[in-house]
Amino acid sequence: MFAYVIKRILLMVPTFAAISLVIFVVLNFAPGTPGAQMQTGEGGGAQDASTAGEQRESYRIFKEQFNLDKPILLNTRYNLGRAELETTLTHILNENRDVSPALQIQAQEDIENWGRYAVPGLMDILTDEAASVPLRAMASQRLTFNAQIQNKMVYQKNLSDEERAEVKRIAKANAQVQAWSFNKSDPEKKVTEITATWTQWFEANGQDWTYDEMDKLAITLLDTRFAKYWENLAKLNFGVSHVDKRPVLNKVFSKLKYSITLSISAVFIIYAISLPLGIWSSIRQNTTADRVVTTFLFMLYSLPSFFVAVFLLNLLTRGTPLQMFPTSGFESLDTSQMTALEHIMDVAWHVILPIFCMSYAALAAISRYARSGLLDVIRSDYVRTARAKGLPESIVILKHAARNGMIPILTLLASLLPALIGGSVVIEVVFGIPGMGSYLFESINVRDYNAVMAVLLISSALTLLGMLISDLSYALVDPRITFE
């Protein structure tokens, strides 16, 4: 069995890699922009870049921190030339009022995302006296942002002395270049001084934009969202939330207790009720009681969970006089004043309705699977042999028939285990429980891609683990199955 487990774990690695790739592609190519709600002042028309830059500065820093300013798969921005930059700046300026707002916004996004790769082209425009003054002014204003060094340690804690010193050095260098800009209405003397300052700065730092073939290859393949994604994944680092800048993994762990409580309770109730019910129904096949139970369970299975959740919420928590359960939440606000037993009772009182809504559909389905599985084996030769030996019917059913009939049920366990992490999105949102389901829902709404990827990847890993556990459990119920 040990060799089988090792082989299955090794097979999980490429499977998980493929799942991770699919999740990355879907999220990064999906419509919308992560953190887009942070943007202000979009479509600023003819306003100069200094005003627009102040409005968008927080969003620019946000994108830098999460590599959202990088290309998705391949990065060839080291080939940026003056012509492309000049066209982009012209679109932002819109002096002739012939550029659409959508094209202006896209140009603004492009110049921000190009970052330091745009510096050589911007310098060409700035130092070209034949270029128009508004264009040169725009180039100087963009340089104050694009020439800044990215500080990737903004959200890191417990920095070493060397890292703190590096953060201070970067902040000092960035603060220096932020003052070197001019407007189109500034006197010629200021324009000349700013241009000379930038020229001197570029001569001192020009080696940063000198790329050999190996540098270009490294940039093309490694300075991308895809490369950063796999680097973080290899370190089990899911990054920080785009919303509150907290580590995603810490937030996931903080939500686990809610979803695990709901899901483990639901799975226990599902199997504790559905298995005996399925066995009972198979023994009484085609009787009136069996038909009634089957009809009721099919009706129960057909009811959408969101409908039942909202119905029970209004009937038993807000209804008159049936205000029997709390309206929402996982526990009361005054749990710190309760004893351990009172706390457990309080939590149980809050989760009765959510657990019921998470359980009833699966209970109906699995009880039918249990019935079908037992019917397949109840007429087998070894079952008739057991009866012929004079064994009690309960022993025949429970020991000989039921164990083999449970194999389909154990297979379904693999699909139930991911609920331990993902929880129920609908149920947690309806009942206001701050578990993994509601966290995933909120993250999708605000396009918090790091959080969404973390929840999906953890759920995928648990699904693979569930499949392994299901396979191993076959040997427990059927002695004929071995993994040697």
Side-chain angles (χ1 to χ4, degrees), residues 445-457:
N445 283 338
V446 298
R447 297 188 177 92
D448 190 353
Y449 286 7
N450 282 352
V452 174
M453 283 193 288
V455 175
L456 293 179
L457 287 173

Side-chain angles (χ1 to χ4, degrees), residues 255 258-264 266 304-306 309 353-360 416-441 455 459:
K255 307 290 184 181
Y258 306 110
S259 293
I260 285 179
T261 300
L262 291 178
S263 300
I264 288 183
S305 60
F306 67 87
L353 294 183
I355 289 175
F356 172 78
C357 293
M358 291 176 64
S359 305
Y360 72 85
L416 289 177
L417 278 179
L420 297 178
I421 295 296
S424 171
V425 175
V426 173
I427 299 304
E428 290 184 6
V429 170
V430 170
F431 287 97
I433 295 175
M436 292 301 304
S438 59
Y439 180 50
L440 178 62
F441 178 76
V455 175
S459 298

Side-chain angles (χ1 to χ4, degrees), residues 95-140:
E95 291 184 293
N96 297 327
R97 296 293 187 270
D98 58 351
V99 180
S100 66
L103 190 56
Q104 280 186 275
I105 294 172
Q106 185 59 52
Q108 183 75 24
E109 287 287 333
D110 289 342
I111 195 68
E112 288 179 356
N113 292 341
W114 290 336
R116 285 170 65 85
Y117 293 110
V119 169
L122 291 172
M123 285 298 306
D124 285 346
I125 297 172
L126 176 64
T127 56
D128 184 4
E129 296 184 358
S132 66
V133 174
L135 191 63
R136 294 179 64 195
M138 175 68 74
S140 75

Side-chain angles (χ1 to χ4, degrees), residues 156-161 163-164:
Q156 294 183 18
K157 298 180 179 180
N158 303 319
L159 298 177
S160 65
D161 293 339
E163 289 173 333
R164 278 193 289 269

Side-chain angles (χ1 to χ4, degrees), residues 2 4 21 25 43 70 72 85 111 126 138 144 156 181 222 242 280 340 385 449 460:
F2 179 76
Y4 175 81
L21 178 60
V25 170
K70 297 292 190 293
I72 295 177
L85 283 159
I111 195 68
L126 176 64
M138 175 68 74
T144 61
Q156 294 183 18
S181 67
L222 301 181
H242 296 170
W280 176 87
T385 301
Y449 286 7
S460 300

Side-chain angles (χ1 to χ4, degrees), residues 249-266:
L249 205 56
N250 291 349
K251 296 188 70 174
V252 169
F253 287 147
S254 70
K255 307 290 184 181
L256 279 178
K257 67 176 183 179
Y258 306 110
S259 293
I260 285 179
T261 300
L262 291 178
S263 300
I264 288 183
S265 302

Side-chain angles (χ1 to χ4, degrees), residues 53-272:
E54 290 174 1
Q55 294 174 329
R56 299 173 62 92
E57 176 66 358
S58 61
Y59 182 59
R60 182 186 68 82
I61 295 175
F62 161 81
K63 290 191 295 184
E64 288 180 356
Q65 295 303 310
F66 302 108
N67 273 27
L68 299 175
D69 58 335
K70 297 292 190 293
I72 295 177
L73 295 176
L74 299 175
N75 186 354
T76 59
R77 291 176 178 173
Y78 48 78
N79 288 327
L80 274 175
R82 170 175 173 173
E84 191 171 0
L85 283 159
E86 191 168 329
T87 300
T88 302
L89 294 182
T90 301
H91 287 162
I92 297 174
L93 282 170
N94 193 19
E95 291 184 293
N96 297 327
R97 296 293 187 270
D98 58 351
V99 180
S100 66
L103 190 56
Q104 280 186 275
I105 294 172
Q106 185 59 52
Q108 183 75 24
E109 287 287 333
D110 289 342
I111 195 68
E112 288 179 356
N113 292 341
W114 290 336
R116 285 170 65 85
Y117 293 110
V119 169
L122 291 172
M123 285 298 306
D124 285 346
I125 297 172
L126 176 64
T127 56
D128 184 4
E129 296 184 358
S132 66
V133 174
L135 191 63
R136 294 179 64 195
M138 175 68 74
S140 75
Q141 294 160 10
R142 284 308 324 168
L143 278 167
T144 61
F145 297 102
N146 289 73
Q148 293 185 29
I149 304 172
Q150 292 188 10
N151 180 7
K152 290 295 186 179
M153 294 180 282
V154 169
Y155 300 121
Q156 294 183 18
K157 298 180 179 180
N158 303 319
L159 298 177
S160 65
D161 293 339
E162 293 79 6
E163 289 173 333
R164 278 193 289 269
E166 179 65 9
V167 169
K168 291 180 181 179
R169 185 193 68 79
I170 293 175
K172 182 178 179 180
N174 290 343
Q176 185 180 35
V177 302
Q178 286 176 351
W180 299 341
S181 67
F182 59 87
N183 295 319
K184 60 184 179 181
S185 58
D186 285 341
E188 182 65 26
K189 180 180 179 182
K190 182 176 180 180
V191 173
T192 303
E193 290 177 351
I194 295 296
T195 303
T197 302
W198 274 115
T199 302
Q200 184 179 7
W201 176 88
F202 189 69
E203 290 175 353
N205 297 276
Q207 70 276 4
D208 292 347
W209 292 273
T210 302
Y211 310 111
D212 57 26
E213 294 305 316
M214 291 302 298
D215 291 333
K216 291 181 180 180
L217 180 62
I219 291 171
T220 301
L221 299 178
L222 301 181
D223 194 20
T224 62
R225 292 192 210 175
F226 183 71
K228 186 64 176 178
Y229 168 76
W230 282 104
E231 178 187 344
N232 290 338
L233 197 58
K235 300 176 181 176
L236 296 180
N237 175 18
F238 294 103
V240 300
S241 170
H242 296 170
V243 178
D244 58 10
K245 312 306 182 290
R246 289 176 54 197
V248 167
L249 205 56
N250 291 349
K251 296 188 70 174
V252 169
F253 287 147
S254 70
K255 307 290 184 181
L256 279 178
K257 67 176 183 179
Y258 306 110
S259 293
I260 285 179
T261 300
L262 291 178
S263 300
I264 288 183
S265 302
V267 169
F268 177 78
I269 291 173
I270 288 168
Y271 278 89

